[in-house]
Amino acid sequence: MISFNDIIKISTLYNNKQNDKLLKIFTSKFSYTNILELLHKIKEERFPNDTAAIKLKTDDKELIIYKKSFFPELPEYSEEEIILPNDTIVTIGYPIGNFFSNAAFIKKIQINNIIFEINESNYQDIPISVLNNCNDHIKKYLDKLNNISLYHINEQYNCGFMYCEEIIIHIIYLCFVYDEDILLEEQMCLLKNGGFNYTDFDVISYDQYKKYAKIFMKISKKEQAQYKQK
Amino acid sequence: MSNIVSKFKELYVRTVTLPDSGEIKIGQINVDFQDKLLRKIKKLKNEAASVLTYILHLDTYIYNSTKKDLTYKDKLYLLQHWRNIVKVKDTTNYDVNTSILEDTPYNTKVNTAKVEIGFKLPTLTFEIDLLKYLVKAEDPAETDLIFYDNFRFIKYLKIDDTTHNASDLSYEDLRELFLLFDLNLLTPLSEHIATNLKSLNNIRLYEADYSNFLDV
């Protein structure tokens, strides 16, 4: 779950352009095995119900993106094995999504019955000769990813997805970045007057926070009215 | 490093006999090379800066992989070796021992003065130092590339009877000197270097060719 405190952290990192740290912290909030699962979980997190929406300003109009328009179609995860000329067996599939390289599409390399699971910490050791031999197969998966729609409202208002760090950062911005000053001000108000502790915001989502804030305002107004009557 | 990673690396290590430094064990160019290079190049503004950065990245990678100050022949031999692994359908086998550049000075006249230019083959660390100096400039230009590609081979300049060793000059002074060369002097000098490097010149072209080790 992306908590309210996470939203503050994410918004701060985004505004400070600390993209590497932002990506690391953001992806660590989800449990996933490939980028398709990550995108699906982002969608579920950002749109907890059908009325949740992202509002965008475009051409002096407000564009509202609902759940059904956000990643409207994601392909099913798949992978395949290919055999290289030196009998090396390489498993290729959709990448994990926390590092960006063609090598990220290589999931496993099997040489002489030894299997090497490829991950963020060792993909850089893959020789270019192996990668080049896989590039035609990798391209199939890359093309499918790059054909996904990030959102599709209609023919005029739509945005494609691309497998790169910049697009993931853009998705984070669309879904989880808010005005940092307003977030802190509202949090401070609930801490001061609403009986909340700082750690409470670690277990409250942005959506829940909005509900609490609304209820708190309602109670405050009621109390003020009662005070005036006295 | 975990056992599995070191085992993986080991599987791609080969023994190579370099023309000057003899036998060494060397891995292949890997994804790390590409990743770090792309990150550096992304930030650059122009083509000349990108090419100089690519050559510096390649030279530094060779230095880090071999831990040796390789000769120019060794470096080009290794480049050809790596390229042959990657470009299996377009392998080459150029002889690296044919250069006569070091023994063939270039003679010309500037106004009435007799000028003789002598040559050397640069070492890896010399190239790295020179490239670091060039990429440090705010906006490296095409002329910096031409300077690098020609002046790294210059050993001395003899003007009439006075000899000036390039090694006695700072990079700034060497570059100042290069800027005094007009095209009438530079073009034949460049041709002289290319011709006398003989078959080494064919591998020299790989030095700045991105496409060998990078998907572009």
Side-chain angles (χ1 to χ4, degrees):
Chain A
M1 186 196 71
I2 303 282
S3 70
F4 187 82
N5 276 341
D6 291 334
I7 295 275
I8 294 175
K9 200 182 282 175
I10 286 168
S11 300
T12 308
L13 291 171
Y14 179 84
N15 290 331
N16 293 342
K17 296 186 170 63
Q18 290 173 274
N19 288 355
D20 288 348
K21 205 171 172 188
L22 171 61
L23 198 65
K24 203 169 182 180
I25 287 178
F26 179 76
T27 52
S28 72
K29 300 289 169 192
F30 297 91
S31 158
Y32 62 99
T33 56
N34 63 75
I35 190 156
L36 299 172
E37 199 181 349
L38 174 66
L39 297 178
H40 177 73
K41 289 196 171 176
I42 290 173
K43 180 175 176 169
E44 291 303 311
E45 180 70 33
R46 182 59 185 80
F47 300 91
N49 52 59
D50 289 343
T51 54
I54 294 171
K55 290 176 184 172
L56 278 181
K57 283 234 162 129
T58 173
D59 303 335
D60 295 328
K61 289 176 192 163
E62 195 170 65
L63 194 64
I64 301 176
I65 306 166
Y66 289 106
K67 188 176 186 177
K68 63 174 183 177
S69 309
F70 192 77
F71 287 120
E73 277 179 57
L74 287 171
E76 286 287 312
Y77 182 80
S78 60
E79 55 183 42
E80 64 183 286
E81 277 187 356
I82 60 166
I83 301 169
L84 303 186
N86 58 356
D87 290 336
T88 300
I89 302 169
V90 181
T91 306
I92 292 169
Y94 288 103
I96 182 123
N98 59 357
F99 63 99
F100 298 88
S101 159
N102 274 8
F105 289 76
I106 295 179
K107 317 295 282 185
K108 271 186 272 181
I109 299 179
Q110 185 179 338
I111 312 163
N112 307 330
N113 293 325
I114 308 169
I115 296 172
F116 300 96
E117 301 276 351
I118 303 300
N119 56 43
E120 190 188 359
S121 67
N122 63 15
Y123 80 99
Q124 292 175 320
D125 295 322
I126 298 173
I128 289 176
S129 57
V130 172
L131 182 61
N132 285 359
N133 274 312
C134 300
N135 269 341
D136 287 346
H137 299 268
I138 288 173
K139 195 176 176 298
K140 285 189 292 184
Y141 292 87
L142 184 62
D143 287 348
K144 278 186 195 171
L145 277 183
N146 291 346
N147 278 330
I148 296 174
S149 282
L150 201 169
Y151 60 83
H152 186 103
I153 296 167
N154 54 36
E155 285 308 307
Q156 193 180 354
Y157 297 108
N158 57 68
C159 176
F161 174 78
M162 266 181 81
Y163 171 67
C164 63
E165 185 179 321
E166 287 77 5
I167 286 284
I168 302 292
I169 299 292
H170 184 61
I171 293 169
I172 297 171
Y173 163 74
L174 284 179
C175 295
F176 303 107
V177 172
Y178 295 88
D179 187 312
E180 197 186 331
D181 291 341
I182 293 176
L183 291 175
L184 290 171
E185 197 179 316
E186 291 178 345
Q187 186 182 44
M188 191 57 77
C189 180
L190 284 181
L191 284 170
K192 203 176 160 190
N193 307 311
F196 281 79
N197 291 317
Y198 180 76
T199 48
D200 292 338
F201 293 94
D202 285 334
V203 290
I204 296 172
S205 70
Y206 184 76
D207 207 47
Q208 287 168 319
Y209 152 78
K210 282 298 222 190
K211 282 178 190 163
Y212 283 125
K214 207 172 164 184
I215 294 166
F216 174 73
M217 288 303 288
K218 210 172 162 182
I219 295 169
S220 295
K221 276 182 186 169
K222 208 173 169 181
E223 282 175 356
Q224 272 178 3
Q226 281 172 349
Y227 180 75
K228 276 181 189 170
Q229 275 179 356
K230 283 180 189 173
Chain B
M1 191 191 301
S2 73
N3 285 341
I4 199 151
V5 174
S6 53
K7 177 77 185 163
F8 183 58
K9 281 185 171 175
E10 258 177 53
L11 289 167
Y12 286 99
V13 169
R14 292 188 192 177
T15 302
V16 172
T17 307
L18 300 174
D20 290 323
S21 301
E23 216 170 74
I24 57 159
K25 285 191 170 182
I26 190 95
Q28 292 185 23
I29 287 204
N30 58 23
V31 172
D32 186 41
F33 172 87
Q34 284 190 342
D35 263 20
K36 287 185 178 150
L37 176 64
L38 287 171
R39 263 176 233 169
K40 287 178 193 168
I41 287 181
K42 248 185 188 177
K43 298 175 195 160
L44 300 174
K45 293 173 196 162
N46 66 50
E47 180 69 19
S50 301
V51 174
L52 287 168
T53 303
Y54 172 72
I55 305 170
L56 175 59
H57 183 74
L58 185 64
D59 280 0
T60 310
Y61 187 82
I62 294 172
Y63 184 77
N64 290 338
S65 302
T66 60
K67 306 276 182 243
K68 284 175 190 279
D69 185 14
L70 295 186
T71 64
Y72 192 59
K73 288 178 191 171
D74 285 347
K75 175 189 144 176
L76 293 194
Y77 183 89
L78 198 54
L79 268 187
Q80 179 169 244
H81 162 77
W82 275 335
R83 188 185 171 278
N84 283 346
I85 293 171
V86 175
K87 303 264 176 188
V88 279
K89 289 178 187 161
D90 181 28
T91 57
T92 56
N93 191 22
Y94 295 118
D95 185 351
V96 292
N97 291 309
T98 56
S99 168
I100 54 165
L101 183 67
E102 293 154 283
D103 309 319
T104 319
Y106 173 68
N107 290 290
T108 188
K109 267 195 156 188
V110 178
N111 294 326
T112 55
K114 279 201 281 183
V115 175
E116 181 185 301
I117 300 175
F119 302 95
K120 64 174 168 43
L121 296 179
T123 64
L124 189 61
T125 51
F126 170 79
E127 287 194 333
I128 290 172
D129 277 354
L130 182 57
L131 286 161
K132 277 182 182 167
Y133 161 73
L134 292 172
V135 298
K136 224 165 42 181
E138 200 168 297
D139 201 9
E142 186 92 355
T143 46
D144 290 308
L145 205 51
I146 299 168
F147 163 67
Y148 167 74
D149 202 27
N150 290 288
F151 271 52
R152 61 179 161 154
F153 294 108
I154 291 180
K155 186 178 182 186
Y156 67 85
L157 271 107
K158 192 171 165 189
I159 301 167
D160 287 331
D161 293 327
T162 315
T163 302
H164 305 272
N165 288 318
S167 59
D168 295 337
L169 299 174
S170 66
Y171 296 140
E172 285 88 348
D173 288 344
L174 201 59
R175 195 168 171 282
E176 285 288 312
L177 185 67
F178 159 75
L179 293 174
L180 297 174
F181 277 50
D182 64 18
L183 276 181
N184 292 329
L185 194 56
L186 202 56
T187 307
L189 171 70
S190 190
E191 281 166 8
H192 178 92
I193 293 169
T195 308
N196 290 291
L197 279 170
K198 300 279 181 186
S199 64
L200 213 58
N201 196 52
N202 296 311
I203 322 176
R204 178 187 171 211
L205 301 176
Y206 299 157
E207 284 181 285
D209 186 353
Y210 277 53
S211 67
N212 286 323
F213 306 119
L214 204 61
D215 283 329
V216 283

